[in-house]
Amino acid sequence: MKISFVLPTVGMSGGIKVVAIYAKMLADKGHEVVLVSPPPKQLSFFRKVKSLLKGRGWPKVNVEASHLDGLGLNHIVLETYRPATDKDFPDADVIIASWWETAEWVNALSQTKGAKVYFIQHHEVFDFLPIERAAATYRLPLHKIVIAKWLLDVMKNTYGDHTVDIVPNSVDRLQFHAEQREKQSAPTVGFLFAYADFKGVDVTLAAIKKLKESMPNLRVISFGSFPPDNFPQWDDAIEFQLSPAQDKIKALYAQCDVWITASRTEGFNLPAMEAMACRTPIVSTKAGWPMESIISYENGVLTDVNDVTAIADGAKWILSLSQDGWKQLSKNAYETLADSSWEHSAMLFENALHHAISRQSEREI
């Protein structure tokens, strides 16, 4: 197949990571893959002048590292941030939008650019977006591929689309793995840092603060793509690593006795899966993949969104287990992923693309 992906500005987000994995695996299978994305948005002239007047100098837009780097893929970056149009793509068998704005662009393309697919990794109706426009993209006549059952249900029940393919994410066992181990000598928790409100880092930090009341020797590990300097609840005692190399992340997961994820909403939550692949039990809110896979007190702990006390209590329960009890929980977390592989997911994704092409030929999309 000739396959085009239409991306937003690329970076180190989980969504870009998933697209990069599929694009690489499809290319390795012999498909012709092209990826198109805009560069970062330029600051307005007013904001540049404001920065200059405040003594910060004339700002520059830095090009961020991305999960596409070093994969040898045909990635075309537009000359400026603008909608992608027909002239930006070769004729193809299938063209894939990867978030709400790119769905608008793909919908406007000619049929020669391929069967139109909407790869949905979250229900993107957030306050920081034009919600009505974003929601309208789920009603466009595009073939939908979703990554989780809850998104399948939203597409059916909210948007009336009953012809949706589900392709669950997986985890790279070569990258994320760990030997069997015992608990750390000092109780250790970890979490992913992000500024986005829906990631619930404020809730995580509140739960950790509560946990420290009964476990003053608690060690806390975190990593993220941005420094936490301006996060109001940040605790300087947290051992933070900025943008660690991908091959170093498994060691961070494996240093933890419990991984906390307190998202208010998630499309999937890859870090939760990665932590479990590294034999680290998780405490998670009911958001994304964990609510489909975690059974409380069997392979982790599941809590309600924004429930600081429940998150702290769940982490305390895990940290208070005996060595044998913790090792069993760790084993259960690891075995939750026994049937998961990117190879299987890539096969499902490839099948979903053929489904889209078939639907286009039958004029269903």
Side-chain angles (χ1 to χ4, degrees), residues 168-189:
N169 289 340
S170 187
V171 64
D172 185 346
R173 303 300 183 83
L174 295 177
Q175 180 179 357
F176 297 105
H177 58 88
E179 298 297 324
Q180 293 184 31
R181 62 184 186 276
E182 296 187 341
K183 290 196 298 181
Q184 304 294 324
S185 56
T188 305
V189 303

Side-chain angles (χ1 to χ4, degrees), residues 271-349:
M273 183 179 270
E274 293 167 355
M276 291 170 69
C278 294
R279 300 181 184 272
T280 302
I282 70 169
V283 174
S284 175
T285 48
K286 295 174 183 176
W289 173 81
M291 66 181 171
E292 299 172 13
S293 303
I294 299 300
I295 301 173
S296 286
Y297 310 109
E298 290 190 21
N299 61 350
V301 177
L302 206 58
T303 76
D304 289 332
V305 170
N306 290 328
D307 194 335
V308 171
T309 299
I311 294 167
D313 288 348
K316 184 176 180 180
W317 176 77
I318 294 174
L319 294 169
S320 300
L321 289 170
S322 66
Q323 285 289 4
D324 287 344
W326 185 88
K327 286 169 73 174
Q328 184 61 53
L329 189 70
S330 169
K331 181 174 182 287
N332 294 348
Y334 177 79
E335 291 182 347
T336 301
L337 309 176
D339 297 328
S340 176
S341 76
W342 278 118
E343 289 75 17
H344 179 65
S345 293
M347 180 191 71
L348 294 177
F349 194 87

